[in-house]
Amino acid sequence: MRRILVFLAALWALALAFPLTVTDDLGRTVTVKAPPKRIVTMLPSVTETVCALGACDRIVATDDYSDWPERVKALPKAGGLYNPNPEFIVSLKPDLVLVSKYGRLYETLERAGLTVYAVRTETYEDIFRTTRTLGRLLGLEAQAERLVAQIQREVYQEESRAAKAKTRPRVYYEIDPTPYTVGPESFIGVLIQKARGVNIISKELGLFPKIAPEFVVEKNPEVIVATYPGALETIRARPGWSRVKAVQTGRICVFTGGQDSLLSRPGPRVAQGLRLLVDCFHGR
């Protein structure tokens, strides 16, 4: 009887929480009338977070790149940031669509009468803020707090492992061959710091700046991290980069084939990405 009463009390509390009005990461006011049961997620990190909250069964479609956990691979795909399929999304009749703050997809979906929440997760703290916000939107606030605590605990374990290292190598992180990199205040930049690396990029350059290749030669990093196919060959072939210490010593860590997702997605698996950096900087 006590369990039944507790369950009913939880349902009552959930009912009182809705309708819920929040401000999204575009500064828009969004009202969710009831706990959403049909969700479309248009960012891989958001898909992973919704599933980690225990609401994977509410997702009816994802963006093209969402591939974790395994079960989301079989879900219908609704395009990506630059090629979304709004007509398909509307046809699914979702009661909540979670989109990136970048792009104009939210405008099209709003005109179609859908409830749309725009997300921006770029800094380390954004990971936890977004997790808590998704918990509110889904009526899973307690689960969100548990998830936040779990992520922070896992990060601390890797951070403690890195703290045993005797050195702090200078690090250059390359997202793509443009080249785009990461500033120290981005979520990846914070992971570099927690792994006891020293980012050669200054915060004045921004979160994810485009830089000149000559800048890297000048800064002479001891470790290079890259997360795109063919990076090793690309980096070695650049004029002047043979003088870079990381190239000379072979300390170039290339993460692809799913490992790149652990580093590039600001979501519940971020500690696994940190583990990759710790191993790269200091050895296993």
Side-chain angles (χ1 to χ4, degrees):
M1 177 62 72
R2 183 178 179 181
R3 289 183 179 178
I4 294 175
L5 291 174
V6 170
F7 176 70
L8 291 175
L11 287 179
W12 177 249
L14 183 60
L16 291 177
F18 290 87
L20 174 69
T21 299
V22 294
T23 302
D24 75 358
D25 288 339
L26 282 170
R28 300 160 52 251
T29 299
V30 179
T31 298
V32 181
K33 296 179 181 178
K37 297 179 181 179
R38 295 180 59 81
I39 303 169
V40 174
T41 57
M42 292 299 290
L43 293 106
S45 60
V46 169
T47 302
E48 295 191 12
T49 302
V50 170
C51 287
L53 289 171
C56 228
D57 57 342
R58 302 194 207 178
I59 301 176
V60 296
T62 75
D63 67 288
D64 288 350
Y65 302 101
S66 288
D67 56 6
W68 189 90
E70 185 71 23
R71 62 189 292 186
V72 307
K73 291 181 179 179
L75 289 172
K77 302 302 177 184
L81 178 62
Y82 302 108
N83 63 335
N85 188 338
E87 294 82 6
F88 176 62
I89 295 173
V90 172
S91 74
L92 294 172
K93 299 180 179 179
D95 42 24
L96 179 63
V97 185
L98 299 166
V99 304
S100 169
K101 69 166 287 187
Y102 300 105
R104 316 298 294 188
L105 177 59
Y106 72 93
E107 294 179 346
T108 304
L109 298 180
E110 270 199 328
R111 285 196 297 268
L114 299 184
T115 301
V116 185
Y117 185 94
V119 176
R120 180 211 69 233
T121 309
E122 296 175 337
T123 71
Y124 182 70
E125 290 305 321
D126 282 344
I127 297 171
F128 307 109
R129 180 184 58 80
T130 300
T131 298
R132 290 186 170 104
T133 298
L134 292 174
R136 288 189 66 200
L137 290 170
L138 304 185
L140 299 172
E141 291 187 74
Q143 290 88 334
E145 289 303 323
R146 286 196 292 270
L147 180 56
V148 165
Q150 175 188 324
I151 296 170
Q152 291 176 335
R153 184 170 59 251
E154 292 172 353
V155 166
Y156 178 75
Q157 290 172 350
E158 294 303 320
E159 198 172 0
S160 299
R161 191 163 67 91
K164 300 174 184 177
K166 297 179 180 179
T167 60
R168 299 196 67 175
R170 298 186 310 277
V171 177
Y172 167 62
Y173 188 108
E174 188 163 291
I175 298 173
D176 68 25
T178 306
Y180 276 96
T181 184
V182 300
E185 294 188 348
S186 68
F187 74 92
I188 299 173
V190 171
L191 295 184
I192 290 172
Q193 178 184 351
K194 288 181 178 296
R196 287 186 65 80
V198 178
N199 196 342
I200 66 169
I201 306 299
S202 66
K203 67 178 182 180
E204 289 76 18
L205 292 177
L207 295 178
F208 300 99
K210 179 181 178 181
I211 59 165
E214 295 77 15
F215 176 86
V216 179
V217 177
E218 178 187 341
K219 293 296 183 180
N220 195 23
E222 298 165 282
V223 177
I224 294 175
V225 179
T227 53
Y228 60 91
L232 187 60
E233 296 76 11
T234 298
I235 289 169
R236 284 176 172 171
R238 285 188 181 135
W241 281 47
S242 60
R243 302 197 302 271
V244 174
K245 189 169 183 180
V247 176
Q248 291 178 341
T249 60
R251 295 189 69 185
I252 304 173
C253 299
V254 178
F255 297 111
T256 58
Q259 285 186 320
D260 54 324
S261 298
L262 299 176
L263 286 163
S264 63
R265 297 179 184 177
R269 296 189 294 164
V270 68
Q272 295 180 47
L274 176 56
R275 184 181 310 145
L276 294 177
L277 294 182
V278 174
D279 290 342
C280 172
F281 298 171
H282 309 293
R284 295 181 182 276

